Amino acid sequence: MNEQIRFDTKIAVLLRDDLELWQRLNATAFLASGVCSATPELVGDPYEDADGTAYLPMFGQPVLVFVGDGRTLSSAHGRALRRGLRMAVFTSDLFSTGNDRDNRAAVKAVSRDRLDLVGLALHGPKNGVDKILKGATLHP
């Protein structure tokens, strides 16, 4: 039952290191939902406890959370774009909006090179994701 399972892919969230704790948690939740929506096959089977109570399914592999400064985040964003890897982004503006429509409008209002990124999430081949996250460290 405790056999190590190896994955060929990696799900990763990269957060800017100057965020408050509530911002890190909020951004991580939103960013992970982006990966889930783009790659539904990453979701495992529903859970059930010993009493038969059903619970929602979750990702079938770990989500690794990394941190880095603004430059690390911008570099990772650029590398992901150059590699053609789809990603979810979270900008500082999204902390002040209250719904999906306004979130999308806030991102659309800013050019790619001027986004004030505070987080991104991606899924892809393990070695490719590792190269994109160069300079980031695992969240403590």
Side-chain angles (χ1 to χ4, degrees):
M1 183 95 171
N2 289 331
E3 182 180 324
Q4 185 79 0
I5 298 175
R6 302 256 185 235
F7 298 99
D8 294 335
T9 63
K10 183 180 273 188
I11 302 169
V13 174
L14 173 58
L15 301 171
R16 202 169 67 197
D17 59 5
D18 63 349
L19 298 179
E20 294 182 38
L21 181 58
W22 75 267
Q23 292 174 315
R24 290 177 189 218
L25 295 170
N26 182 265
T28 299
F30 274 93
L31 290 164
S33 74
V35 171
C36 183
S37 68
T39 321
E41 62 271 17
L42 291 174
V43 177
D45 292 329
Y47 286 70
E48 183 178 300
D49 64 27
D51 299 315
T53 307
Y55 301 99
L56 295 173
M58 296 184 277
F59 283 127
Q61 72 181 80
V63 177
L64 300 174
V65 180
F66 296 84
V67 293
D69 61 17
R71 180 172 288 147
T72 301
L73 198 59
S74 293
S75 295
H77 180 257
R79 285 191 290 268
L81 290 171
R82 284 190 296 280
R83 289 177 171 270
L85 201 59
R86 294 176 62 197
M87 72 187 118
V89 296
F90 200 99
T91 67
S92 62
D93 296 330
L94 303 189
F95 291 125
S96 62
T97 58
N99 61 73
D100 185 54
R101 182 192 66 229
D102 292 341
N103 286 351
R104 285 183 283 108
V107 173
K108 187 159 182 72
V110 181
S111 66
R112 177 178 52 230
D113 294 338
R114 295 188 181 266
L115 291 172
D116 185 13
L117 294 171
V118 298
L120 61 82
L122 42 88
H123 166 260
K126 196 181 284 189
N127 64 345
V129 171
D130 289 343
K131 288 177 183 174
I132 288 168
L133 297 178
K134 181 180 177 187
T137 58
L138 274 173
H139 193 288

